[in-house]
Amino acid sequence: ELKVEQNPLFLSMQEEKNYTIYCNYSTTSDRLYWYRQDPGKSLESLFVLLSNGAVKQEGRLMASLDTKARLSTLHITAAVHDLSATYFCAVDPTKYNFNKFYFGSGTKLNVKP
Amino acid sequence: DTAVSQTPKYLVTQMGNDKSIKCEQNLGHDTMYWYKQDSKKFLKIMFSYNNKELIINETVPNRFSPKSPDKAHLNLHINSLELGDSAVYFCASSQDPDPWAFFGQGTRLTVV
């Protein structure tokens, strides 16, 4: 079965610092997703990466995908408290017209003011 | 308008009971899903329906039975609830070729 590993699992950082969350997966896939979850809330779509070398940026978050290394990164630039949440990567290895997500275990980010 | 809505949001019930969770999406999507998030926040797919047809059925106890009366609805019925069924259950929907899946707000099931 496809394995998706995120690290770190917990990340406590100060505002204005930079950090990277890593997502490794075990099987070839061209679809890699990043979601955000606030406590007690649903999953909010952040990025979908669909090809090798894809890079997407939104505000202080930037995601990239290296399909050869089976690695995606979520880079946080100059963190602010509002970014505190749990971040999940998900891989969809299917090539059908529906999704079958394999989620990482999540990275709980706490940005201290 | 909420795109993917689940009811109830919270459900507390005793072991052995039978309960249902309902999901509706107003996005016009063809495919709907149920995911389970355990106490460690790990998310795993359970079922998926495409146009009312079951297309994904992961290793889930037979006590869990999904039902899709139409493509906008996917309900989850659970028989003989056990303590280990306590989790947050998320419904989601998607529409090819859009790669995204949209999640509902979750149903927190607590079995006591």
Side-chain angles (χ1 to χ4, degrees):
Chain A
E1 183 175 281
L2 175 63
K3 300 290 184 191
V4 182
E5 293 183 353
Q6 276 182 246
N7 69 84
L9 298 183
F10 298 95
L11 181 52
S12 184
M13 55 192 298
Q14 292 188 323
E15 287 191 321
E16 300 302 317
K17 298 292 185 185
N18 304 331
Y19 209 88
T20 300
I21 299 171
Y22 297 89
C23 176
N24 287 93
Y25 53 97
S26 60
T27 304
T28 301
S29 173
D30 292 330
R31 294 204 281 188
L32 191 293
Y33 299 76
W34 286 97
Y35 281 89
R36 167 182 171 147
Q37 186 180 35
D38 292 294
K41 303 291 185 183
S42 185
L43 285 91
E44 176 190 346
S45 310
L46 292 177
F47 303 108
V48 57
L49 304 165
L50 300 174
S51 60
N52 186 39
V55 177
K56 296 268 183 82
Q57 182 163 7
E58 181 75 33
R60 300 172 188 271
L61 300 177
M62 183 173 71
S64 65
L65 178 62
D66 181 343
T67 58
K68 293 179 182 177
R70 298 177 186 168
L71 171 68
S72 178
T73 60
L74 181 66
H75 187 72
I76 303 153
T77 302
V80 292
H81 181 64
D82 285 352
L83 290 179
S84 296
T86 299
Y87 293 85
F88 290 93
C89 66
V91 174
D92 181 1
T94 66
K95 296 189 184 300
Y96 307 121
N97 61 348
F98 55 84
N99 301 110
K100 183 176 180 181
F101 290 151
Y102 291 82
F103 281 90
S105 46
T107 297
K108 187 171 183 179
L109 173 65
N110 179 29
V111 182
K112 302 176 198 174
Chain B
D1 265 353
T2 304
V4 182
S5 59
Q6 297 177 226
T7 53
K9 189 172 181 181
Y10 300 98
L11 182 54
V12 181
T13 187
Q14 290 188 325
M15 283 175 56
N17 284 350
D18 303 338
K19 290 293 178 185
S20 291
I21 307 171
K22 296 186 176 182
C23 179
E24 176 182 5
Q25 53 94 4
N26 63 5
L27 298 167
H29 289 172
D30 285 339
T31 309
M32 296 184 71
Y33 312 81
W34 279 110
Y35 281 84
K36 178 181 179 179
Q37 186 173 42
D38 64 23
S39 58
K40 296 183 179 178
K41 304 295 184 189
F42 183 68
L43 277 148
K44 187 172 171 66
I45 192 166
M46 299 173 71
F47 301 103
S48 177
Y49 271 75
N50 179 268
N51 274 318
K52 302 193 298 174
E53 186 177 336
L54 182 65
I55 54 173
I56 296 176
N57 185 357
E58 292 296 288
T59 307
V60 175
N62 291 338
R63 299 181 294 103
F64 289 79
S65 53
K67 284 188 172 53
S68 181
D70 55 61
K71 73 174 194 177
H73 295 84
L74 180 61
N75 304 323
L76 183 65
H77 188 76
I78 315 169
N79 289 328
S80 303
L81 278 155
E82 300 178 357
L83 293 176
D85 298 332
S86 295
V88 180
Y89 293 85
F90 285 98
C91 176
S93 72
S94 69
Q95 177 66 43
D96 185 64
D98 185 345
W100 280 112
F102 297 91
F103 286 78
Q105 78 275 27
T107 296
R108 182 174 293 275
L109 171 65
T110 303
V111 182
V112 297

